[in-house]
Amino acid sequence: MTTLCVFCGSSVGRPDTFARSANALGSAMASRGIDLVYGGGSIGLMGVVADAVLTGGGQATGIITEALAGHEIAHQSLSNLEIVSTMHERKARMAELSDGFVMLPGGVGTYEEFFEAVTWAQLRIHDKPCGVLNVDHFFDDLLRFLDGAVDSGFIKEERIRQLTVTDDVAFLLNALESTLSAQSPG
Ligand code: AMP
């Protein structure tokens, strides 16, 4: 895996466990030589992940809309910053550049982006692995909800099983990397 797209909050959340995990993910990506693609912000967990990747000597690419960049909240020290016109273009570009997707804690923006990536996998628009870093049980209720939707016949169980869900950064990256190498052995 060379490039991972990370969706996460434009806030840091509380307690600081979320920021520490975002920092740990960014550092681990840099040390494995995995580049970051993300929304290009300097704030919240988005900024924490990007800073950790850059501090670790890795590459971070931000894809941001003109409107968001105009609020001077685009990260100013990224390896690459692409400015696009719409949120749709932004998500398409993030997906195009990445080998896989990870969701960290965040708000509705984070959920929307991640579930689009999962939906596109379901529709076979891509076959890139998707994972959830379930820091401090943050996503437990959402995961229960998804299990309920499986029980109700709206989501195929296989779709949920294909998601890597863990609170362990190394386990998450190993799982995504092994899914990718199983897809393209050698
Ligand atoms: P949320 O999870 O609701 O905090 O939303 C995260 C998403 O909000 C990001 O991925 C972006 O789509 C958007 N967003 C909000 N603020 C910023 C920012 N400063 N820079 C980039 N994207 C932002």
Side-chain angles (χ1 to χ4, degrees):
M1 178 164 62
T2 59
T3 307
L4 185 61
C5 180
V6 177
F7 302 124
C8 59
S10 55
S11 308
V12 286
R14 53 183 175 273
D16 66 0
T17 336
F18 301 122
R20 277 191 273 120
S21 293
N23 183 71
L25 176 66
S27 302
M29 287 172 61
S31 66
R32 289 177 185 230
I34 300 171
D35 297 343
L36 170 71
V37 166
Y38 83 117
S42 57
I43 56 172
L45 295 186
M46 303 173 79
V48 174
V49 176
D51 286 341
V53 168
L54 294 168
T55 302
Q59 300 284 308
T61 295
I63 316 290
I64 198 163
T65 58
E66 284 163 28
L68 283 168
H71 287 116
E72 295 180 25
I73 45 182
H75 198 299
Q76 296 303 309
S77 357
L78 296 175
S79 324
N80 304 292
L81 180 69
E82 293 187 18
I83 301 188
V84 295
S85 302
T86 66
M87 292 296 278
H88 289 108
E89 263 183 78
R90 183 197 207 193
K91 286 185 291 179
R93 185 72 181 134
M94 289 165 85
E96 187 183 2
L97 291 176
S98 308
D99 301 315
F101 306 91
V102 161
M103 173 167 69
L104 265 64
V108 289
T110 302
Y111 318 144
E112 187 266 342
E113 291 169 326
F114 183 71
F115 280 114
E116 180 175 274
V118 174
T119 305
W120 285 15
Q122 179 171 293
L123 296 173
R124 300 187 194 281
I125 294 171
H126 67 70
D127 60 355
K128 302 174 183 180
C130 299
V132 177
L133 191 63
N134 190 17
V135 182
D136 239 355
H137 302 280
F138 179 80
F139 289 112
D140 284 2
D141 288 339
L142 178 65
L143 295 163
R144 267 192 290 273
F145 175 84
L146 294 176
D147 284 341
V150 170
D151 291 343
S152 302
F154 287 108
I155 302 178
K156 288 201 171 70
E157 191 172 1
E158 179 199 348
R159 178 62 39 212
I160 302 300
R161 270 195 280 106
Q162 282 169 349
L163 297 178
T164 299
V165 180
T166 178
D167 63 357
D168 186 294
V169 164
F171 183 92
L172 178 69
L173 295 178
N174 289 343
L176 297 178
E177 290 192 307
S178 61
T179 302
L180 278 171
S181 39
Q183 283 169 354
S184 45

